Structures are given as structure tokens and as C-alpha cells.
Amino acid sequence: MQGRQILETVHMLDHENLDIRTVTLGISLFDCIHEDVDRACEKIYKKVHKYSKDLVATADKIGKAYGVQIINKRISVTPMALIAGERSPEDYLAYARVLDQVAKEVKVDFIGGFGALCQGQMTRADQALIKALPLVLSETDRVCAPICLGSSREGLNMDAVALAAQTIKGAAQASKDQDSLACAKLVVFANAVEDNPFMAGAFHGPGQGELALHVGVSGPGVVKVALESHREDSFDVLSEVVKKTAFKITRLGELVGKEVSKDLGVPFGSIDLSLAPTPAVGDSVARILEEMGISQVGGHGTTAALALLNDAVKKGGVMASTHVGGLSGAFIPVSEDEGMIEAANKEALGLDKLEAMTCVCSVGLDMIAIPGKTPWETIAAMIADEAMIGIINQKTTAVRIIPVIGKDVGDQAVFGGLLGQAPIIGTHHNNCQVFARRGGFIPAPIHSFKN
């Protein structure tokens, strides 16, 4: 039995796009706080470089030893609003440039955490940092910014939602020559988790230790292939197939992650088993749903199929490891999934269906390109809708929306690499000004009082 499972895993590696999607090294920067910007930046550079300088080489070595490719190597740091405090945009840019510099020197793909946690009230530092993000994200290449705007315990901070929406518009304008690429490095959350290894939302939370290595394993191609031999079977059988496949993937990810962790001398954190697609053919979450019988993703039945997939992935992962964390489920980033792109191009998949799907999957409205002329008030309302899905249902939800300046429905936005490309999807035309400008809090739901 064990020998057969080993052979099946080898086949997944060789033929079905199974990989370790990312190893992310979390680094606490609390001991780098200093009132002098230059001194703080110096301390940040030294610490991040010290602990991450061997990350890429170690990950590549371990991956080669086990015959598995580790696609992305990343760093996450303590939310920068907690480290820098209230600063000018130019000072925040200095912090960001140091992070960008060290990320390039150690050859990681992204460095996350240039963000703020304002699910309660915003501090002056939170506000100042968020306002600086259009400058920061357009002037750096690898820095990513997560912002938490609400939680099931606190409710939804609508002042922060409005500010975030204005910032998204500003970031789009500041990077308009790159199809508003800066927005792809900015994500807003409800119920953000502190051990998420996936960008752009990764940050090293205040509740984490000094260092931690988190692993993100993917493999939508593996799941699709596993389902191909069960086209006549019931949903009960499909659930078991996905669960057993997720179990094998998680085992591999934990093994590789712990080896990388051991070699680096860094505590192992958690493994995130999220089916995160790429633009490559054969690596699509949409195609898994279609394998279950949906003629094209976005059609009736899509949400139910996604719910089954997400639940079975979590069950398989929890069986395989006591360290499952992060988001763990299925991602539906439109620009990064060739099946989603095709469905959006054929107008089979729109914002309303995507929002419904986020009720049952990991994260939320992810890598969705919309017309550049979309008002910030509309973006704020979209964020509020998605955030409240997470707050009411006690799950993580997020929005990574890209208003592509100069483009409209029917056009394409091209981001390149893992970020892929996306058709511009239309939004509703209702006027959201009164709603978006009210401010205050949408109160936490009644179940927030559980202790």
C-alpha cells in the first residue's frame, strides 16, 4: 500500500503539475523599531538579510533532493504600520525600498507585510501608511501590502474600507503604464490570518514568534487528473478522491517544508494546502469544477462543486498534518487561472457569480480586472460586500481588485508571469456614493459575543 502511494506521488510530480507553490519565511521586525528612519532601515536590512540569505539556495537544494520543484520563495514581515509608526510618504518609501532591495539581493519573488491591521479603529500610523501605498507600490517591484479591515469579532471598519478603496484607485493611477500593476500587490482582508504564505496577503503576525517557515502546497492539476477516472461516480466518491489526493499532497509538503526549516534553523510554522492555480494549462481550479460536471465554470452548480472541493481539501489536509494553517482550500484568482480567464472572456463568469463562489472557497475576489473609470465608491462597496461574507461566516475573505486605467470591458490587462492576464469585467452601474461615504462600523454579528 505504501509503495503504491509513493509511486502515485512520483507520478503526480512528473506528469500532473504537483509542486510546492511557495516557502515563505516570516520574520519579526519588532526589534528593528527606531525613531530615526535611517537607523530603522539599517536594522531591518541587516535582520532580513541575515535570516533569508540562504532561503532560496536551501529551498532549491531540498526540492532537488526530493524531486519536487519549489516555485516561489518569499518573505513576510511584521505589518509595517506597527514598525514604522506614523511617517511621511517619503519615509515609508525608504522603508519599502530597503525591503525591495533585500528581496532582490536574496532573490526571493516577493516580500509581504507592508500593511496595516485596522479591523478595529485605525491608528494615525495605519492611515498614513495606507495613504502612502500608491507611491510605495508603484516605486518598488517586490513589496506587497496586506490590509485587514474587519473581523468577525470587531465588525467592518467602513472608514478603513473607504480609505482602502481610494488607495486602490491611487495605486492604479500611479502604475497606469503597467496596466495598473501596483494593485496586484495590494490585498484587503476580513479575518486575515497571521500564517498565510501566499502573496499579496502574507504578513508575519504579532502573534507569531521571532521566525517561522510556512509552506504553501498546490496541485489543482493533480486533483483534476484524479477525478478523470471517476466521471460516472457519485459526489460521495468524488469527495473521497479529493480528500485522499489532498492527504498525499499535504504529506509531501510537510516533509519538504520541515527539511527546509531544519536546514535554515528556523521553526516550522504551518502548511497551507490551497489549490492555487497558475496561468498554465493543466493547473486550473476551474477545470476541476468542470470535471465534476459543470459545462463551464460560472454555470449553475459551480458554487456547490466548489464547496465540495474546498471541504474535501481541508479534510484531507487535516488528516495528513497537525500543522495545517494559512487559508487552506481553493483559490479562484481570475487572472491566474486559464479556465477562469476563458469563462470570463465568454461572459460565462461575472462578478456576481464570483462573489457567490467566495462564500464557500478560500479568500475572495482575487485578481479581478475592472474598468479603470470605476469610482472608488463602487470599489468600496465591493470590498464591503466581500468582507461581510467573511465576517458573517467567520472565514477569511479578501479583495484584490485592479481598476485598469484606460481600459474597459472587452479589453485585456496583461500582468505577466504568475499574475497572468485578465479580461476587464464589468461592474454594476448603481451609484454607491452615499453607501461608501457613511463611515463608521458595520457592527460585528451576534456570534461575535461567544467566549
Side-chain angles (χ1 to χ4, degrees):
M1 177 68 124
Q2 187 176 15
R4 191 179 79 234
Q5 290 180 344
I6 292 171
L7 290 174
E8 288 174 350
T9 304
V10 170
H11 190 272
M12 292 176 186
L13 293 168
D14 289 343
H15 302 289
E16 299 169 13
N17 292 332
L18 176 59
D19 54 48
I20 308 296
R21 187 55 50 88
T22 180
V23 291
T24 301
L25 177 62
I27 304 175
S28 172
L29 298 183
F30 279 116
D31 57 347
C32 299
I33 295 173
H34 200 283
E35 62 182 20
D36 181 78
V37 174
D38 293 335
R39 179 69 180 125
C41 288
E42 180 184 344
K43 294 175 74 173
I44 289 170
Y45 175 85
K46 286 182 178 178
K47 183 167 188 181
V48 175
H49 192 278
K50 174 184 177 181
Y51 289 109
S52 65
K53 66 182 187 299
D54 297 323
L55 175 63
V56 172
T58 301
D60 287 342
K61 180 186 74 174
I62 299 298
K64 184 177 181 181
Y66 284 95
V68 58
Q69 188 176 10
I70 300 176
I71 304 296
N72 298 297
K73 298 86 175 178
R74 296 160 171 176
I75 300 168
S76 63
V77 298
T78 311
M80 190 52 61
L82 299 176
I83 304 304
E86 185 183 5
R87 302 283 183 176
S88 69
E90 292 72 24
D91 285 344
Y92 282 124
L93 182 58
Y95 282 93
R97 281 180 168 156
V98 164
L99 293 176
D100 205 42
Q101 176 188 348
V102 74
K104 290 174 179 176
E105 288 182 7
V106 302
K107 297 182 170 60
V108 297
D109 304 282
F110 289 109
I111 185 163
F114 206 93
L117 305 180
C118 40
Q119 59 269 31
Q121 298 290 343
M122 285 188 288
T123 65
R124 289 193 298 271
D126 294 333
Q127 294 180 56
L129 181 139
I130 294 170
K131 289 177 181 177
L133 287 179
L135 175 66
V136 164
L137 296 177
S138 62
E139 292 291 327
T140 57
D141 297 317
R142 305 190 188 190
V143 173
C144 292
I147 307 171
C148 189
L149 306 173
S151 72
S152 297
R153 189 78 180 178
E154 301 284 348
L156 181 60
N157 185 339
M158 288 300 292
D159 293 315
V161 168
L163 181 56
Q166 294 166 36
T167 297
I168 290 169
K169 284 287 288 189
Q173 187 65 40
S175 56
K176 63 182 180 181
D177 294 337
Q178 299 174 286
D179 276 355
S180 301
L181 178 63
C183 296
K185 298 181 288 179
L186 170 59
V187 60
V188 296
F189 281 103
N191 291 324
V193 297
E194 298 188 354
D195 59 348
N196 169 23
F198 288 104
M199 297 296 171
F203 64 92
H204 190 69
Q208 299 285 300
E210 191 70 23
L211 300 162
L213 186 87
H214 305 296
V215 177
V217 182
S218 190
V222 174
V223 176
K224 182 184 183 301
V225 171
L227 292 176
E228 286 175 358
S229 57
H230 296 274
R231 287 175 174 163
E232 304 299 322
D233 291 320
S234 69
F235 284 111
D236 311 74
V237 174
L238 298 189
S239 179
E240 283 298 308
V241 170
V242 174
K243 187 169 69 174
K244 290 176 181 177
T245 304
F247 178 89
K248 296 170 191 172
I249 296 171
T250 306
R251 286 284 197 183
L252 174 67
E254 183 176 55
L255 172 64
V256 172
K258 285 186 173 180
E259 287 296 310
V260 174
S261 174
K262 180 180 175 182
D263 264 33
L264 288 174
V266 171
F268 183 73
S270 63
I271 179 165
D272 184 323
L273 180 64
S274 288
L275 297 183
T278 72
V281 174
D283 208 20
S284 162
V285 169
R287 300 308 185 196
I288 298 175
L289 306 181
E290 291 169 357
E291 190 61 44
M292 292 185 189
I294 311 300
S295 60
Q296 183 156 50
V297 67
H300 298 302
T302 297
T303 305
L306 183 59
L308 182 153
L309 175 65
N310 209 57
D311 181 65
V313 164
K314 290 178 186 289
K315 287 174 178 173
V318 169
M319 274 202 312
S321 172
T322 57
H323 296 281
V324 172
L327 299 163
S328 291
F331 286 1
I332 51 171
V334 174
S335 79
E336 299 172 18
D337 186 310
E338 58 87 14
M340 298 279 180
I341 293 169
E342 180 184 289
N345 277 326
K346 293 182 177 179
E347 299 184 354
L349 184 64
L351 276 170
D352 289 343
K353 188 60 178 180
L354 283 164
E355 183 181 298
M357 293 165 69
T358 65
C359 296
V360 298
C361 77
S362 294
V363 197
L365 296 174
D366 194 15
M367 287 303 292
I368 296 171
I370 61 174
K373 63 185 179 183
T374 306
W376 73 260
E377 292 93 342
T378 298
I379 295 172
M382 293 168 66
I383 293 171
D385 281 345
E386 189 58 38
M388 288 309 299
I389 288 173
I391 288 169
I392 292 293
N393 292 292
Q394 297 181 294
K395 69 186 290 291
T396 302
T397 50
V399 173
R400 187 162 45 148
I401 206 90
I402 305 165
V404 185
I405 303 299
K407 293 192 173 181
D408 209 335
V409 176
D411 296 327
Q412 292 276 333
V414 180
F415 308 117
L418 188 64
L419 298 175
Q421 65 182 42
I424 309 298
I425 296 177
T427 64
H428 289 287
H429 298 300
N430 62 299
N431 188 321
C432 300
Q433 287 189 12
V434 173
F435 177 85
R437 293 171 183 264
R438 284 187 182 276
F441 268 76
I442 296 180
I446 190 68
H447 56 58
S448 68
F449 296 112
K450 290 189 296 187
N451 283 314

